[in-house]
Amino acid sequence: MSQNCGCGCSSNNADEANDLLQIIPRPEATPVQTQTEVKISGMTCGHCVASVTEELKEIAGVENVDVILNASGVSTATVSSLTALSEESIRNAIDEAGYTVEAINA
Protein backbone atom coordinates (compact mmCIF):
# COMPACT_ATOMS: atom_id res chain seq x y z
CA MET A 1 0.00 0.00 0.00
CA SER A 2 1.31 3.44 -0.95
CA GLN A 3 1.36 6.30 1.61
CA ASN A 4 1.79 10.02 1.11
CA CYS A 5 4.46 11.32 3.49
CA GLY A 6 3.76 14.99 2.72
CA CYS A 7 6.73 15.71 0.48
CA GLY A 8 4.90 14.95 -2.75
CA CYS A 9 6.20 11.42 -3.22
CA SER A 10 4.48 8.14 -2.60
CA SER A 11 6.34 5.79 -0.32
CA ASN A 12 5.72 2.32 0.93
CA ASN A 13 8.31 2.95 3.59
CA ALA A 14 6.97 6.13 5.21
CA ASP A 15 7.09 4.57 8.67
CA GLU A 16 10.70 3.44 8.09
CA ALA A 17 11.66 6.93 6.95
CA ASN A 18 10.07 8.49 10.04
CA ASP A 19 12.05 6.10 12.24
CA LEU A 20 15.28 7.38 10.66
CA LEU A 21 14.52 11.06 11.32
CA GLN A 22 16.55 12.58 14.09
CA ILE A 23 15.55 15.65 16.02
CA ILE A 24 18.58 17.83 16.64
CA PRO A 25 18.15 20.28 19.50
CA ARG A 26 18.89 23.92 18.76
CA PRO A 27 22.05 25.08 20.52
CA GLU A 28 21.72 27.66 23.25
CA ALA A 29 22.24 31.19 22.04
CA THR A 30 25.70 32.49 22.86
CA PRO A 31 25.59 35.92 24.47
CA VAL A 32 27.22 38.65 22.43
CA GLN A 33 30.17 40.22 24.18
CA THR A 34 30.79 43.94 24.23
CA GLN A 35 34.36 45.21 24.13
CA THR A 36 35.35 48.52 25.67
CA GLU A 37 38.80 50.01 25.13
CA VAL A 38 40.15 52.14 27.96
CA LYS A 39 43.23 54.35 27.64
CA ILE A 40 45.01 54.67 31.00
CA SER A 41 47.97 56.81 32.07
CA GLY A 42 50.32 56.30 35.02
CA MET A 43 50.90 52.56 34.68
CA THR A 44 54.58 51.53 34.71
CA CYS A 45 54.86 47.83 35.67
CA GLY A 46 53.21 44.43 36.03
CA HIS A 47 51.84 45.36 39.45
CA CYS A 48 50.01 48.29 37.83
CA VAL A 49 48.51 45.89 35.27
CA ALA A 50 47.40 43.51 38.04
CA SER A 51 45.77 46.33 40.04
CA VAL A 52 43.84 47.68 37.05
CA THR A 53 42.80 44.18 35.94
CA GLU A 54 41.56 43.32 39.45
CA GLU A 55 39.49 46.51 39.78
CA LEU A 56 37.96 46.22 36.30
CA LYS A 57 37.00 42.57 36.87
CA GLU A 58 34.97 43.65 39.91
CA ILE A 59 32.52 45.54 37.66
CA ALA A 60 29.30 43.52 37.22
CA GLY A 61 29.16 41.79 33.83
CA VAL A 62 32.90 41.93 33.09
CA GLU A 63 34.09 38.63 31.63
CA ASN A 64 37.72 39.39 30.73
CA VAL A 65 40.32 42.16 30.89
CA ASP A 66 43.43 42.38 28.69
CA VAL A 67 45.96 45.13 29.36
CA ILE A 68 48.75 46.27 27.05
CA LEU A 69 51.31 48.11 29.17
CA ASN A 70 53.06 51.15 27.73
CA ALA A 71 55.31 52.14 30.63
CA SER A 72 56.38 55.38 29.00
CA GLY A 73 52.92 56.55 27.93
CA VAL A 74 49.28 55.56 27.75
CA SER A 75 48.39 51.90 28.32
CA THR A 76 45.33 50.18 26.85
CA ALA A 77 42.86 47.93 28.66
CA THR A 78 40.34 45.97 26.61
CA VAL A 79 37.35 44.99 28.74
CA SER A 80 35.00 42.24 27.51
CA SER A 81 31.55 42.20 29.08
CA LEU A 82 28.11 40.74 28.52
CA THR A 83 26.48 44.18 28.67
CA ALA A 84 27.54 47.74 27.97
CA LEU A 85 29.47 49.21 30.89
CA SER A 86 28.85 52.64 32.28
CA GLU A 87 31.66 55.12 31.84
CA GLU A 88 31.29 56.00 35.52
CA SER A 89 31.91 52.39 36.67
CA ILE A 90 35.03 52.18 34.49
CA ARG A 91 36.38 55.52 35.72
CA ASN A 92 35.69 54.55 39.35
CA ALA A 93 37.54 51.22 38.94
CA ILE A 94 40.60 52.85 37.35
CA ASP A 95 40.57 55.60 39.99
CA GLU A 96 40.38 52.96 42.74
CA ALA A 97 43.47 51.29 41.26
CA GLY A 98 45.26 54.66 41.40
CA TYR A 99 45.48 55.59 37.71
CA THR A 100 43.92 58.07 35.28
CA VAL A 101 41.48 57.34 32.45
CA GLU A 102 42.49 59.22 29.30
CA ALA A 103 39.72 57.90 27.01
CA ILE A 104 36.96 55.26 26.82
CA ASN A 105 35.87 53.80 23.48
CA ALA A 106 32.90 51.44 23.53
Side-chain angles (χ1 to χ4, degrees):
M1 182 166 135
S2 179
Q3 293 182 349
N4 186 347
C5 67
C7 71
C9 73
S10 293
S11 172
N12 291 329
N13 299 321
D15 289 333
E16 262 180 54
N18 286 335
D19 289 341
L20 296 175
L21 292 177
Q22 179 181 10
I23 297 174
I24 301 172
R26 185 176 184 177
E28 293 294 322
T30 304
V32 176
Q33 284 198 337
T34 300
Q35 290 202 333
T36 306
E37 186 178 88
V38 185
K39 300 292 185 178
I40 306 163
S41 62
M43 298 172 58
T44 59
C45 67
H47 181 266
C48 300
V49 171
S51 295
V52 166
T53 300
E54 180 181 336
E55 292 298 329
L56 288 170
K57 282 187 173 181
E58 288 185 13
I59 300 172
V62 170
E63 294 287 309
N64 191 48
V65 177
D66 290 313
V67 178
I68 299 171
L69 178 65
N70 181 355
S72 61
V74 177
S75 299
T76 303
T78 302
V79 184
S80 300
S81 58
L82 297 177
T83 59
L85 303 175
S86 75
E87 204 170 296
E88 180 182 9
S89 65
I90 294 170
R91 288 186 184 280
N92 288 342
I94 301 301
D95 185 56
E96 183 68 27
Y99 305 98
T100 304
V101 172
E102 298 296 331
I104 298 174
N105 302 310

